[in-house]
Amino acid sequence: MKRFLVIVHITASLFSCTSQESIILEKKKINWQDYPVLFSDSTKTTFIDKFHFLRSVDMYEITYLSDGLKIQSFAAIPRKEGKHPVIIYNRGGNRDFGALNIKTAIGRFSKLADEGYIVIGCNYRGSGKSEGMEEFGGKDVNDVLNLTKVIKELPEADTSLVGMYGWSRGGMMTYLALTKTNTIKAAVVGGGKSDLRTIDRPEMEKRVYAELIPDYYNNKETELKKRSAILWVDKFSPKVPMLLLHGNSDWRVKSTNSLKLALEFEKHRIPYGLKIYEGADHGITQFREERDQDVLDWFNKYLKGSAELPNMEFHGR
């Protein structure tokens, strides 16, 4: 009997170690001194004005495992002690177009990190330094989902408060990820395509969909439906408030993608906000400060502020 108990104890210990195995392979802190362009003086002690927030932020390049592939990611972490809410950022583009690097990660992550958030995002498989082949919303969604495991290994992360922020193609990745995890508490999507079946740009189909989506032409209808959030709004949680942002002069992704998705949210009573910026382009660059404030206000309200969900039942006088 004693011998049996010893064997059980050893087996249980081995299983425990395996189940808690780290998926982070490397975590490398970025040395700001290696990037003189960030500074206004030759001694590299004073950041130029637009990068002033870097004084309170550390940046890391993190390599982690996703489906056995090495995936490159970046994380901006506030230097202030304590636990911080997390925002998972999903980049736009495909392959190396729109890929994250130190410069783009600083621009997209550090401003939010200065406000007290850990911001982390990856280069999907097949882009940047990440291994594998991109599928434009196929198995590469796992690279996003595995970031929810990566943050569990960051001691500064409050993993009970996780948001998701996607732009353009990253919006599609956000929609897909939200149907596969209950970790996310609030989300923001900018310039996101909600219906891939509508092909406004033939070159997008030829050079992106056909080249990246496996066996595209033989399964075109099925694969595009899988990636079109407007067809499966019923899969979204009514407990995750979502903010949709779009410029109505966006030629890359028409603003009707957000408008029509909002109507579907209405039918299914999904809590959402919708803002259309007049005359704005794909990145809403004409309203940068307003755009960034809208994103910050949403996460401050529903993530950091833990505001109650809006009452989606029809009510009032």
Side-chain angles (χ1 to χ4, degrees):
M1 183 65 176
K2 290 183 179 180
R3 182 182 176 186
F4 174 75
L5 290 174
V6 170
I7 293 173
V8 170
H9 175 73
I10 293 174
T11 304
S13 298
L14 288 173
F15 177 80
S16 177
C17 291
T18 302
S19 64
Q20 297 177 16
E21 185 176 356
S22 171
I23 69 168
I24 293 180
L25 300 178
E26 182 181 22
K27 179 184 176 185
K28 180 173 65 177
K29 185 176 180 180
I30 303 301
N31 183 0
W32 298 135
Q33 304 297 316
D34 293 337
Y35 300 89
V37 69
L38 302 175
F39 300 92
S40 61
D41 60 331
S42 57
T43 60
K44 303 180 194 175
T45 55
T46 305
F47 289 104
I48 61 176
D49 188 56
K50 71 176 182 177
F51 293 130
H52 68 89
F53 44 80
L54 293 179
R55 290 174 296 187
S56 62
V57 174
D58 288 324
M59 182 78 74
Y60 295 85
E61 182 177 356
I62 299 174
T63 303
Y64 66 98
L65 284 175
S66 179
D67 298 338
L69 300 170
K70 295 179 181 179
I71 303 299
Q72 178 191 36
S73 69
F74 295 91
I77 301 178
R79 290 179 181 170
K80 185 178 180 181
E81 292 186 5
K83 298 277 190 177
H84 308 287
V86 180
I87 297 173
I88 294 174
Y89 179 84
N90 295 327
R91 52 155 283 219
N94 62 88
R95 288 161 289 203
D96 285 341
F97 174 69
L100 294 172
N101 53 40
I102 297 299
K103 182 180 179 181
T104 55
I106 288 173
R108 299 171 193 176
F109 294 8
S110 299
K111 198 171 182 180
L112 281 168
D114 185 46
E115 297 288 344
Y117 294 94
I118 291 175
V119 187
I120 186 169
C122 72
N123 280 323
Y124 317 122
R125 59 189 65 185
S127 65
K129 296 180 183 177
S130 297
E131 296 178 340
M133 295 292 291
E134 186 175 350
E135 295 187 2
F136 204 75
K139 293 180 181 177
D140 43 12
V141 176
N142 290 339
D143 305 338
V144 172
L145 295 172
N146 278 317
L147 285 173
T148 63
K149 298 178 182 179
V150 170
I151 61 175
K152 291 180 180 179
E153 299 182 34
L154 302 181
E156 306 91 343
D158 183 344
T159 55
S160 69
L161 297 174
V162 183
M164 190 167 282
Y165 178 21
W167 205 275
S168 191
R169 177 267 180 87
M172 176 188 68
M173 301 295 276
T174 299
Y175 296 144
L176 287 163
L178 288 176
T179 67
K180 301 175 186 297
T181 178
N182 58 6
T183 301
I184 309 305
K185 305 301 181 186
V188 177
V189 168
K193 196 165 180 64
S194 65
D195 191 350
L196 275 71
R197 300 170 305 167
T198 303
I199 299 176
D200 304 312
R201 300 161 57 197
E203 72 277 9
M204 188 72 179
E205 178 178 37
K206 180 180 178 181
R207 299 177 182 177
V208 179
Y209 299 174
E211 292 182 3
L212 298 180
I213 297 175
D215 201 19
Y216 176 71
Y217 285 117
N218 289 327
N219 298 283
K220 176 178 175 178
E221 184 178 357
T222 299
E223 294 301 326
L224 292 184
K225 284 182 177 179
K226 287 180 183 177
R227 293 160 172 79
S228 297
I230 201 165
L231 299 177
W232 28 265
V233 171
D234 58 308
K235 293 184 179 180
F236 288 112
S237 170
K239 296 182 179 180
V240 181
M242 194 178 311
L243 175 63
L244 305 178
L245 307 175
H246 226 119
N248 61 12
S249 292
D250 180 354
W251 68 271
R252 291 183 179 274
V253 180
K254 297 293 192 302
S255 58
T256 49
N257 280 271
S258 290
L259 291 166
K260 291 179 179 179
L261 184 61
L263 291 175
E264 290 301 311
F265 284 168
E266 275 288 317
K267 293 178 185 177
H268 294 273
R269 311 312 296 153
I270 304 296
Y272 76 95
L274 170 67
K275 185 167 183 177
I276 303 295
Y277 301 76
E278 64 277 14
D281 59 15
H282 187 53
I284 314 182
T285 58
Q286 294 84 357
F287 301 91
R288 280 191 178 91
E289 291 187 10
E290 183 179 344
R291 173 202 67 194
D292 291 347
Q293 191 62 50
D294 289 335
V295 172
L296 178 62
D297 288 347
W298 192 262
F299 285 126
N300 280 349
K301 181 178 181 179
Y302 289 113
L303 197 59
K304 187 188 290 185
S306 299
E308 291 186 7
L309 290 171
N311 180 5
M312 294 303 293
E313 296 294 329
F314 292 107
H315 63 281
R317 293 182 180 178

